[in-house]
Each structure stands twice: as structure tokens, then as C-alpha cells.
Amino acid sequence: MIVEVRAYRIKPGRRAEFIDFFETRAVPALRSYGMQVLGPLLDVENPNKFVFLRSFPSLDEREGMKNEFYEGALWKNELESIAMPMIDSYDVILCETSKGYVSDGF
């Protein structure tokens, strides 16, 4: 399995607004393209940061799912214009599970 660890720095004072958008709009949209999502995970030391995990069965499927999502009408015509003005920056760590990977629900 391929897992992205995504850390977002939200513009000051907008984290609650972004979390609402993320939970109600972004997560359902991502899941509709086959991505699994864990989060949001709120940074307890930084009120302008949050993390979430997004997983894919393989690198090839990741590429296809991401392309379909980000090239699709919902992202381009609606979600992008809502999300991007709230985001200051983000980092992505791309991980692959080991043979001994254990999951308790993700």
C-alpha cells in the first residue's frame, strides 16, 4: 500500500473553516475516487496546521486516482477555488508499507 502523509499549514485563523471544508467536501470527494483517508489530525502545538493520511493500493493506482481527481470537474470548477485560498503551504511524504505492515483499521 502507498500512503501519503500530508501536512497542511493553513492561513492564520482559518483552520476551523478549512477543517469543515475538508470533512464535508474534500473527504467525500477523495473517497469517491477510491482514496482512503485518515484524518484530519490536528496539530496540538500549531493552531494553523493539520495532517491527514491518504492511501492507495499501488503507485500506479495512486497516479491514476490523483489525475482523475485533480483533472476532474469537481476539483477544477469548485473545490480548488475554495481550498487553495485557505492553504499557506503543504508537505507530502510518500511512503510504502513494509511486508510486516500492521493496521488497526486504516
Side-chain angles (χ1 to χ4, degrees), residues 59-72:
L59 280 173
D60 287 340
E61 289 172 279
R62 172 184 177 260
E63 194 65 29
M65 289 175 182
K66 285 181 57 179
N67 285 342
E68 287 179 27
F69 176 76
Y70 290 113
E71 295 301 319

Side-chain angles (χ1 to χ4, degrees), residues 39-92:
L41 308 169
L42 306 181
D43 187 321
V44 298
E45 297 179 325
N46 184 340
N48 299 315
K49 190 172 181 184
F50 87 97
V51 174
F52 75 99
L53 308 177
R54 188 164 73 171
S55 71
F56 308 86
S58 68
L59 280 173
D60 287 340
E61 289 172 279
R62 172 184 177 260
E63 194 65 29
M65 289 175 182
K66 285 181 57 179
N67 285 342
E68 287 179 27
F69 176 76
Y70 290 113
E71 295 301 319
L74 180 61
W75 175 254
K76 286 187 168 244
N77 299 332
E78 191 174 338
L79 301 181
E80 182 178 29
S81 65
I82 297 169
M84 297 313 289
M86 291 188 273
I87 298 172
D88 190 28
S89 63
Y90 65 91
D91 296 309
V92 178

